Every structure is written in structure tokens, then in C-alpha cells.
């Protein structure tokens, strides 16, 4: 039998967690990128292991996507966004958690909250990257060639233009107007 426990963090509560993130970022600024990525990967592996509560493991995929996007040469994450992702992963390179992980179940509560904050802050990046990966996989299987971000963006542009034409047509009741000059 499982139970559901729901709680809401106030702005003051969130400010406390953001302060912890800011402290972690300041500490991580001294670390090389490789170290942050390695420690974040270790934290992800630990949070994916048996015995970790589902409320944590269900959030780890988004954190993992951030780590993977950093090393995806095809994605070519702009430097400013790359730094945002790295600083967001900084908390997970901190050896000391707010709640020590060895405390059964509750030890990962702070990690789940931090993942949630990171995902909120970087949700657009995560969504775009996941969408790009799905497009790349589908197109590589279909065409058998490498797919670039430019290919994906061209596809997105075509989708947008198709939607615009469809909306325009719907507004006109399906009538097509032609200009006579």
C-alpha cells in the first residue's frame, strides 16, 4: 500500500533552496567542467539505484538529459546556455546535502526539490533537446544520414509555416484568395 503526501513550498521555502543552489554554484565555480559533469553523473547513478524513492527516480531522466546535452556535439549548446546547465548541475557535485542521503526515504527529498527547481529553470532547453533527439533518431532511421540542429530547425520552420497556412485558411473558411494585378 502506498500513500501520497503532497506539500507546497512557499516563496520563502523556495528562496532557501535557491540560496543553497547559489552557494553550490559559487563552490562549483572553482571546479573544472569535467569534475562537475563527473560528480553530477555519480549523483544521477546513485539516484537511479535500487532503494531510492520513486519521487526521486522519476525526476532523474530530466537531470540526465541536461548532462547528455552538454556532450552532444550535434546539439551545439551555445556557451551561455552551457554555463547555465553546468551551474544547475553544480548542486549535485556538492558532497554535503541539506538532508543526508543515508537517511531512508527522506534523505533524497532535498535532491528531488533541487531537481524540480533545475527542471523548472531549464524546461525549455530540456524539451527542445528531447524533441531534437527524437527527430534525429527518426530521421537517421529513415534517411540513414547524420542529422544536424539545422535540419531540425528547418523542419520546425516548415511545421510553423504549415500551421500558419492552415490557420489562415480556416479563418477564411477554406477560401483561397488570389490577387489580380
Amino acid at each position: 500500500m502506498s500513500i501520497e503526501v503532497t506539500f507546497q513550498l512557499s516563496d520563502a521555502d523556495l528562496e532557501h533552496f535557491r540560496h543553497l543552489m547559489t552557494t553550490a554554484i559559487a563552490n562549483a565555480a572553482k571546479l573544472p567542467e569535467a569534475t562537475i559533469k563527473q560528480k553530477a553523473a555519480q549523483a544521477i547513478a546513485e539516484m537511479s539505484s535500487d532503494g531510492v524513492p520513486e519521487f526521486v527516480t522519476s525526476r532523474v531522466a530530466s537531470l540526465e538529459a541536461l548532462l547528455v546535452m552538454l556532450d552532444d556535439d550535434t546539439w551545439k549548446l551555445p556557451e551561455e546556455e552551457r554555463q547555465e546547465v553546468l551551474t544547475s548541475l553544480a548542486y549535485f557535485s556538492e558532497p554535503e546535502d541539506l538532508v543526508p542521503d543515508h537517511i531512508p526515504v527522506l534523505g533524497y527529498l532535498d535532491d528531488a526539490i533541487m531537481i524540480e527547481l533545475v527542471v523548472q529553470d531549464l524546461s525549455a532547453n530540456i524539451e527542445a533537446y528531447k524533441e531534437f533527439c527524437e527527430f534525429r533518431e527518426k530521421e537517421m532511421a529513415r534517411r540513414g544520414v547524420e542529422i544536424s540542429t539545422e535540419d531540425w530547425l528547418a523542419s520546425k520552420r516548415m511545421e510553423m509555416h504549415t500551421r500558419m497556412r492552415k490557420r489562415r485558411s480556416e479563418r477564411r473558411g477554406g477560401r483561397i484568395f488570389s490577387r489580380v494585378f
Side-chain angles (χ1 to χ4, degrees):
M1 175 178 134
S2 65
I3 67 168
E4 183 175 326
V5 177
T6 304
F7 60 93
Q8 183 172 342
L9 297 174
S10 70
D11 288 340
D13 297 332
L14 289 174
E15 187 56 38
H16 175 72
F17 280 96
R18 293 212 184 274
H19 175 72
L20 290 173
M21 180 63 83
T22 303
T23 302
I25 289 168
N27 292 339
K30 304 166 199 149
L31 299 174
E33 178 178 320
T35 302
I36 293 171
K37 292 189 313 188
Q38 180 218 359
K39 290 183 177 205
Q42 287 172 341
I44 289 168
E46 184 180 312
M47 288 186 279
S48 300
S49 64
D50 291 338
V52 175
E54 192 274 331
F55 67 82
V56 176
T57 59
S58 65
R59 291 168 167 78
V60 171
S62 294
L63 199 59
E64 196 168 27
L66 290 171
L67 190 58
V68 170
M69 89 169 57
L70 286 171
D71 290 328
D72 190 331
D73 293 332
T74 308
W75 182 241
K76 298 177 187 168
L77 196 60
E79 189 56 35
E80 184 178 325
E81 291 178 25
R82 181 178 195 76
Q83 290 307 313
E84 286 180 29
V85 171
L86 283 167
T87 57
S88 295
L89 292 172
Y91 176 80
F92 303 99
S93 66
E94 281 288 308
E96 296 298 319
D97 280 349
L98 178 64
V99 181
D101 292 342
H102 70 275
I103 297 174
V105 182
L106 297 179
Y108 288 97
L109 185 58
D110 62 320
D111 297 297
I113 292 168
M114 290 307 241
I115 292 171
E116 213 44 52
L117 291 173
V118 165
V119 169
Q120 278 182 7
D121 288 349
L122 298 171
S123 62
N125 299 69
I126 295 167
E127 295 286 324
Y129 183 66
K130 286 180 179 179
E131 192 175 315
F132 166 72
C133 289
E134 289 170 8
F135 175 82
R136 176 172 55 185
E137 185 177 314
K138 182 181 83 172
E139 289 299 306
M140 284 179 70
R142 188 173 74 84
R143 295 194 266 169
V145 296
E146 280 294 314
I147 302 299
S148 68
T149 52
E150 290 78 19
D151 296 328
W152 175 66
L153 291 170
S155 168
K156 298 305 288 176
R157 263 191 306 282
M158 286 177 56
E159 286 177 21
M160 182 182 68
H161 287 292
T162 300
R163 277 195 314 271
M164 288 178 356
R165 282 192 297 277
K166 182 179 176 193
R167 287 180 190 149
R168 195 169 39 242
S169 177
E170 288 170 352
R171 274 184 270 157
R172 294 178 178 163
R175 298 183 309 260
I176 298 176
F177 293 96
S178 61
R179 291 184 155 161
V180 178
F181 293 96

